[in-house]
Amino acid sequence: MSVTPLALAPVHPAPAFRGRIGRDARSGHYAVPRRYRLHLSATCPDGLRIAVTHSLLGLDDVCPVTPLGAVPDCPDGGHSALRPLYEASVHRYRGAAVGPVLSDDWSGRIVSTHAPDITRDLARHFGGGRPALYPCGAESEIEAVERMCAQGIEEAAQLAGTAGSEPAERDAALGKLLQTLGVLERRLEVEEFLIRDQITAADVELWVALVQLDTVHRHHLDAAAVHRVAGHPALWAYARRLAAHPAFGAHLDLDGIARRHHARCRGLEAAGSAVQILDWESHAAVRP
């Protein structure tokens, strides 16, 4: 497998905010409509996950969204628009002001920057009467899909396209990626969705991972590897089908994803860049 050098622009770690929205006043952050606000860019994988979840739940009037720029505008990888929130939340804050962020409009401070917690809290505490994205008894299955996407797709694809690593490491990573896609392919050959007969958080997780795989990671794989990744027809048909759903496809900013990728990456791309798997733009639902 041939790859070309890749270097990432420096991104300084930000403190982890892990506040949770609770059920009542004892939690501190209890569920009140329009108390909380999301700050996110759908060009970021975590931002895209939250945006899709927010739309599936129909929370526009419950938890407003403040969009962030497609590409962070600070040299450290942060967003200048988020700096007042970080400085209000951490005394003498000097790090990167990164998104996504769930903030509390009452206090002007950050509640959480942890995407899995944010999506769960939105669904559990504001999702009454809305689609059950975390069905009762499905939490362990959803967590298993999250691990599969994080390790078997995103981490494996990144390692498979990392310049400078040993060929054996890249080949092993590609093997892990293809094995994961094969497991998912066999599931989606017989089922419309991953773990239930309806869209759940597991489908949001997998769809975002597939978007990243085709719009970002394939640019650093060789052409033969991308053709093998594309050789899972049921999986990519599933990705197309979800892209046509307004809650998914309306948040696809392909130009913004490309600009974010190029802003973070340095050097030439591999031959896989010329082998697009899906024509996302032709399948994606348009914004209402």
Side-chain angles (χ1 to χ4, degrees):
M1 183 191 306
S2 62
V3 293
T4 49
L6 168 67
L8 295 180
V11 177
H12 302 296
F17 292 87
R18 293 290 298 271
R20 303 298 300 268
I21 298 176
R23 296 181 181 277
D24 53 45
R26 291 174 297 177
S27 69
H29 294 112
Y30 52 97
V32 178
R34 302 195 70 83
R35 173 178 176 177
Y36 304 99
R37 180 176 300 273
L38 290 166
H39 309 257
L40 54 86
S41 170
T43 64
C44 158
D46 280 342
L48 182 56
R49 290 182 184 96
I50 295 171
V52 172
T53 300
H54 183 270
S55 290
L56 285 170
L57 294 170
L59 298 182
D60 285 344
D61 294 331
V62 175
C63 182
V65 175
T66 296
L68 299 174
V71 180
D73 58 351
C74 296
D76 59 7
H79 293 270
S80 58
L82 293 177
R83 182 150 296 281
L85 281 172
Y86 274 84
E87 291 176 348
S89 304
V90 177
H91 182 59
R92 295 183 178 178
Y93 181 72
R94 295 292 182 270
V98 298
V101 165
L102 175 69
S103 68
D104 180 353
D105 278 355
W106 289 5
S107 67
R109 297 183 177 182
I110 295 172
V111 177
S112 180
T113 57
H114 190 256
D117 289 350
I118 293 172
T119 57
R120 282 167 170 78
D121 286 352
L122 290 176
R124 289 170 179 166
H125 302 304
F126 295 110
R130 296 180 168 90
L133 299 184
Y134 294 88
C136 182
E139 186 67 29
S140 61
E141 294 175 275
I142 292 172
E143 289 176 352
V145 171
E146 290 173 342
R147 288 192 298 272
M148 182 180 294
C149 290
Q151 299 169 12
I153 298 180
E154 295 179 11
E155 291 178 10
Q158 185 169 8
L159 182 56
T162 298
S165 59
E166 293 295 326
E169 291 181 304
R170 296 198 300 269
D171 289 344
L174 178 61
K176 183 175 182 179
L177 171 62
L178 294 172
Q179 181 183 33
T180 301
L181 298 180
V183 170
L184 294 165
E185 173 77 6
R186 290 188 290 275
R187 173 69 176 173
L188 292 168
E189 284 175 341
V190 296
E191 300 291 346
E192 185 176 4
F193 303 111
L194 269 184
I195 63 172
R196 291 290 190 273
D197 59 358
Q198 64 182 52
I199 292 173
T200 68
D203 298 295
V204 177
E205 191 74 24
L206 175 56
W207 186 76
V208 172
L210 293 175
V211 169
Q212 285 293 112
L213 181 56
D214 191 19
T215 62
V216 174
H217 296 305
R218 74 171 167 84
H219 292 285
H220 305 292
L221 298 172
D222 66 26
V226 176
H227 282 299
R228 295 176 71 187
V229 167
H232 298 84
L235 184 63
W236 293 106
Y238 160 90
R240 281 197 305 271
R241 189 169 67 250
L242 289 183
H245 190 300
F248 289 79
H251 294 292
L252 263 183
D253 179 0
L254 298 172
D255 176 67
I257 291 173
R259 287 190 288 115
R260 183 185 181 93
H261 176 221
H262 292 141
R264 287 173 53 84
C265 295
R266 300 290 183 269
L268 299 175
E269 295 174 329
S273 183
V275 187
Q276 185 181 36
I277 299 173
L278 284 190
D279 181 357
W280 294 94
E281 189 168 10
S282 70
H283 298 294
V286 297
R287 293 181 185 273

